[in-house]
Amino acid sequence: MDILYQDTRIVVAVKPAGVVSTDEPGGMPELLRAHLHTDCIRTVHRLDAQVAGVMVFARSRMAASLLSQQIREHRFSKTYLAVLCGTPPRPADTLTDLLARDTQHRTTYIADTPSPDTREARLSYDTVDSADGLTLVRVRLHTGRTHQIRVQFASRGLPLSGDRKYRLSFAHPQTSEAMTFACPPPDTAPWTRFTLPETL
């Protein structure tokens, strides 16, 4: 396990692509319990299985409650890097859509009209670099819908070649200290096609 930080209240780790973030067999909580030899690991936010990136897990019920409150109050910041196939019409923009979830087929899609089954999805992005018909963008999520980044860009003719949760910022649930953790992209394609600034 790639552990970035741990104390008695939280553990910050990099979730590999292909591993679920929820508490089920083979998921991150189970892996962390085995690695840290502890019983209490609670998921407070999710990351799609195919996406690698930084996650914080609570090590107590109180820590989980306080972190969840930050998420509800939009004081929990998540920044992603995504590689788009193509070039967006604007170098920076905010995308807002209605997303619906087909639970039977486990798919998320853009809906044309509001309904009890739709929820607003909103993100902001800005362009970092481009190469070989691909564009590297930095994405800030304002809502946390399943497959949101992938679906919102794909609906505009910009399918993802790769995405990764790059940065996570929150207040420590016990000390209220501002904490930020980052995880650079792997040294593999498509990320190696781009020049990354020292700070994103």
Side-chain angles (χ1 to χ4, degrees):
M1 298 299 301
D2 188 358
I3 305 294
L4 303 181
Y5 175 85
Q6 62 171 307
D7 60 24
T8 58
R9 296 291 181 240
I10 62 172
V11 56
V12 180
V14 178
K15 184 190 83 65
V19 176
V20 296
S21 58
T22 49
D23 201 349
E24 52 191 286
M28 281 296 290
E30 181 181 82
L31 297 177
L32 286 169
R33 289 185 193 109
H35 182 79
L36 299 174
H37 307 291
T38 185
D39 292 331
C40 187
I41 296 289
R42 295 171 181 261
T43 300
V44 294
H45 63 109
R46 296 187 179 190
L47 186 57
D48 292 342
Q50 71 270 28
V51 181
V54 184
M55 294 190 68
V56 58
F57 296 85
R59 300 187 70 171
S60 70
R61 182 178 298 176
M62 180 60 72
S65 176
L66 292 172
L67 288 170
S68 296
Q69 182 179 355
Q70 290 184 46
I71 294 171
R72 290 193 303 271
E73 296 175 352
H74 306 289
R75 295 185 289 117
F76 190 98
S77 174
K78 296 174 281 186
T79 303
Y80 294 75
L81 292 177
V83 178
L84 311 178
C85 296
T87 304
R90 297 182 181 86
D93 203 356
T94 297
L95 309 182
T96 304
D97 294 291
L98 289 174
L99 292 192
R101 178 78 176 159
D102 183 336
T103 54
Q104 182 177 355
H105 297 95
R106 299 175 66 87
T107 57
T108 302
Y109 59 93
I110 301 289
D112 296 326
T113 57
S115 77
D117 299 323
T118 61
R119 302 180 74 185
E120 182 184 83
R122 187 163 55 92
L123 62 79
S124 300
Y125 74 86
D126 62 275
T127 299
V128 177
D129 195 13
S130 60
D132 304 323
L134 301 174
T135 304
L136 176 66
V137 294
R138 174 175 36 217
V139 180
R140 171 77 183 275
L141 284 184
H142 303 292
T143 57
R145 313 302 181 211
T146 303
H147 305 315
Q148 176 179 340
I149 296 175
R150 188 172 299 274
V151 172
Q152 287 196 268
F153 280 112
S155 72
R156 291 163 171 81
L158 298 164
L160 263 61
S161 176
D163 58 339
R164 184 177 184 89
K165 181 180 286 185
Y166 169 74
R167 184 187 292 119
L168 192 65
S169 299
F170 58 92
H172 192 283
Q174 184 175 27
T175 66
S176 297
E177 176 188 357
M179 309 191 82
T180 297
F181 298 92
C183 176
D187 191 24
T188 58
W191 309 101
T192 49
R193 300 186 183 189
F194 304 102
T195 300
L196 297 176
E198 290 186 6
T199 59
L200 280 169

